[in-house]
Amino acid sequence: SEDERQLLPELTSKKQKISHPSISAPLEVAPSVSKQSKKPTPQIIVLLDLASLETVKNRRGVYELLNCDDHRDLCRKKLKKDPNVYRPDILHQELLALMDSPLNKAGLLKIYMHTAKHVLIELNPATRIPRTFKRFAGLMVQLLHKMKIKANGESTTLLKVVKNPFSQHLPAGTRCYGFSCEGELYSPISLAKTFVPPSPEKCETPICFVLGAMSTGHITINDHPYIEKMISISEYPLSGAAALSRIMGGIEHHWGIV
């Protein structure tokens, strides 16, 4: 589409400059902390939807990740949009919450990201997400232009752009649930007991959770027809990272993952 062509510029141009001086060190594969001898199959799939990931060329001709702090005037004058819409830091916070969870460290979590420009990204569970936003922004620019990021000195692909739609990447029989403040309210424990099997071994098909990674709005079934039900995890408005921490904590308690 035209939007994707704008977001993913031609890579064959030798004059193109990509801003990633903020990546002080190449990405590495995180060491496995799972106590199981056999690598477990991810049973929980999370889609972070409508993430704000767009690149923009600065005055020096270098590409940067569009964000409300560094490009406020550009958003208002050239793009004619509210700068507060461009919040890639929300995705960064959510990814850290997921990657730091014991559920992910046990090898039971699979993560996808879907941008507002309809770019679908698959994340290797062994990826070490940069802790600072500056390095994360540089990594995302590199990913959007090169389509994949490999581990330092290895052939392992840590992040890659994959084909839409997201539904084709779900195993047959996967049950999907969306999260919104307008959904039916569950506590983290009751959520896990209601929608998640008693143990990973009894999970015949994965469970998929869809959450937003945007500053305003919420996920709808109209955008994701495969969602069976909309759920709320708190009676109060929560950040995406806080909501994910509650969801992961409920599942970890339910499965006895400490």
Side-chain angles (χ1 to χ4, degrees):
S1 68
E2 183 178 354
D3 285 338
E4 288 176 331
R5 288 198 298 271
Q6 292 176 354
L7 182 64
L8 305 173
E10 192 67 41
L11 299 181
T12 56
S13 173
K14 295 182 180 179
K15 295 182 179 180
Q16 184 185 54
K17 298 179 182 179
I18 299 176
S19 174
H20 49 82
S22 52
I23 304 180
S24 58
L27 280 186
E28 298 179 352
V29 177
S32 175
V33 295
S34 176
K35 297 181 180 179
Q36 303 179 27
S37 57
K38 184 180 178 181
K39 186 177 179 180
T41 302
Q43 300 294 359
I44 302 297
I45 300 173
V46 174
L47 172 65
L48 302 177
D49 193 32
L50 296 177
S52 177
L53 289 180
E54 295 184 47
T55 60
V56 63
K57 187 185 292 187
N58 64 17
R59 294 177 180 177
R60 296 170 295 164
V62 178
Y63 282 93
E64 299 175 335
L65 192 65
L66 187 61
N67 66 86
C68 62
D69 292 326
D70 299 329
H71 310 104
R72 185 167 293 273
D73 291 338
L74 174 67
C75 294
R76 286 175 175 166
K77 296 178 181 178
K78 186 176 181 179
L79 300 179
K80 306 295 183 181
K81 291 185 178 180
D82 182 2
N84 295 321
V85 172
Y86 299 99
R87 292 283 309 279
D89 57 294
I90 295 176
L91 176 64
H92 183 221
Q93 294 165 8
E94 292 182 349
L95 286 175
L96 290 176
L98 288 171
M99 301 304 286
D100 286 345
S101 68
L103 191 69
N104 179 64
K105 296 179 185 298
L108 298 171
L109 186 62
K110 181 72 174 176
I111 304 169
Y112 289 87
M113 300 170 278
H114 185 245
T115 76
K117 291 289 186 180
H118 306 295
V119 178
L120 184 60
I121 301 167
E122 181 180 348
L123 179 67
N124 188 319
T127 305
R128 279 178 169 171
I129 295 297
R131 311 302 294 188
T132 65
F133 177 72
K134 188 174 182 180
R135 289 191 62 225
F136 172 77
L139 179 68
M140 291 298 104
V141 170
Q142 192 176 2
L143 170 65
L144 291 172
H145 286 261
K146 292 187 175 181
M147 301 296 202
K148 66 172 63 174
I149 301 291
K150 290 189 175 182
N152 181 36
E154 298 184 27
S155 60
T156 305
T157 299
L158 299 179
L159 297 117
K160 63 179 178 180
V161 175
V162 296
K163 291 184 179 180
N164 283 297
F166 169 67
S167 56
Q168 75 177 5
H169 299 280
L170 296 174
T174 300
R175 307 193 68 176
C176 297
Y177 304 97
F179 283 82
S180 166
C181 58
E182 298 179 357
E184 185 174 347
L185 182 62
Y186 287 85
S187 70
I189 302 300
S190 64
L191 169 73
K193 289 182 178 179
T194 304
F195 301 104
V196 179
S199 68
E201 294 76 19
K202 294 183 180 180
C203 194
E204 298 180 357
T205 57
I207 308 296
C208 177
F209 296 129
V210 182
L211 294 92
M214 62 290 197
S215 58
T216 59
H218 52 83
I219 300 300
T220 66
I221 294 181
N222 292 334
D223 295 329
H224 303 276
Y226 44 83
I227 290 179
E228 297 181 21
K229 186 175 184 177
M230 297 302 297
I231 301 169
S232 175
I233 197 65
S234 174
E235 60 183 284
Y236 303 104
L238 299 178
S239 67
L244 285 164
S245 295
R246 286 174 65 85
I247 297 167
M248 297 301 107
I251 298 173
E252 289 155 8
H253 182 273
H254 186 51
W255 282 351
I257 299 173
V258 182

